[in-house]
Amino acid sequence: MKMKSRLLLTAMFILISFFANGCKYVSSFSATVCIHSNSSDSGSLQFGSLTGTYVFKMKPDSSNTLSYTAKLGSGTLKVYYDNEDEKKELFTLHSGETVDSSLTSLKSENLYLIVETDGKCENGDLSFTLK
């Protein structure tokens, strides 16, 4: 009986630790020819095709400026950001469009960039850098 209680308590501790760890957004996608990277100050995503949600997590510092570029061959995708516990739209791309811009006044908290497709998107290239 003690062994079962210990196993149950251990399992509960692991689950609580996992959920308390700040898994605010979760990537859930299917892709072909997908190359992605993510560090505390940059992230990139290149794909042949993508369906679903891809999440970047960054940590702004004193620079507090996010520079980004993106292009999309076909489909529609939206990119959101969350830096103040509120998900806000950053930009939308439709077939053949590109974007090259920046976002200032970021807080020195976790920055989440959430890429969401509306169906299948093809030939995309997104890049984000904190400067």
Side-chain angles (χ1 to χ4, degrees), residues 3-53:
M3 183 66 150
K4 287 183 181 179
S5 296
R6 285 185 183 178
L7 286 174
L8 182 61
L9 285 174
T10 302
M12 288 176 52
F13 177 73
I14 290 170
L15 285 173
I16 290 170
S17 296
F18 177 76
F19 288 112
N21 196 18
C23 297
K24 187 168 185 172
Y25 298 101
V26 178
S27 294
S28 175
F29 64 95
S30 71
T32 60
V33 191
C34 183
I35 302 169
H36 52 93
S37 67
N38 192 184
S39 68
S40 62
D41 64 354
S42 66
S44 65
L45 176 63
Q46 300 159 333
F47 56 87
S49 68
L50 179 73
T51 303
T53 302

Side-chain angles (χ1 to χ4, degrees), residues 75-93:
T76 300
L77 67 77
K78 289 187 179 188
V79 176
Y80 300 90
Y81 73 99
D82 182 340
N83 186 231
E84 301 173 324
D85 290 328
E86 183 180 347
K87 184 177 170 182
K88 300 177 184 175
E89 187 174 332
L90 185 60
F91 63 87
T92 299
L93 279 180

Side-chain angles (χ1 to χ4, degrees), residues 46-125:
Q46 300 159 333
F47 56 87
S49 68
L50 179 73
T51 303
T53 302
Y54 187 87
V55 179
F56 296 96
K57 181 179 177 183
M58 297 182 197
K59 184 74 175 167
D61 58 18
S62 59
S63 63
N64 294 339
T65 298
L66 175 71
S67 297
Y68 56 91
T69 61
K71 64 181 179 179
L72 184 63
S74 65
T76 300
L77 67 77
K78 289 187 179 188
V79 176
Y80 300 90
Y81 73 99
D82 182 340
N83 186 231
E84 301 173 324
D85 290 328
E86 183 180 347
K87 184 177 170 182
K88 300 177 184 175
E89 187 174 332
L90 185 60
F91 63 87
T92 299
L93 279 180
H94 300 283
S95 297
E97 292 183 339
T98 62
V99 65
D100 185 354
S101 191
S102 63
L103 177 66
T104 58
S105 302
L106 296 171
K107 292 187 175 184
S108 293
E109 299 175 6
N110 289 328
L111 170 64
Y112 296 93
L113 298 166
I114 305 104
V115 179
E116 295 182 354
T117 67
D118 182 9
K120 183 178 180 181
C121 291
E122 295 181 332
N123 300 320
D125 188 356

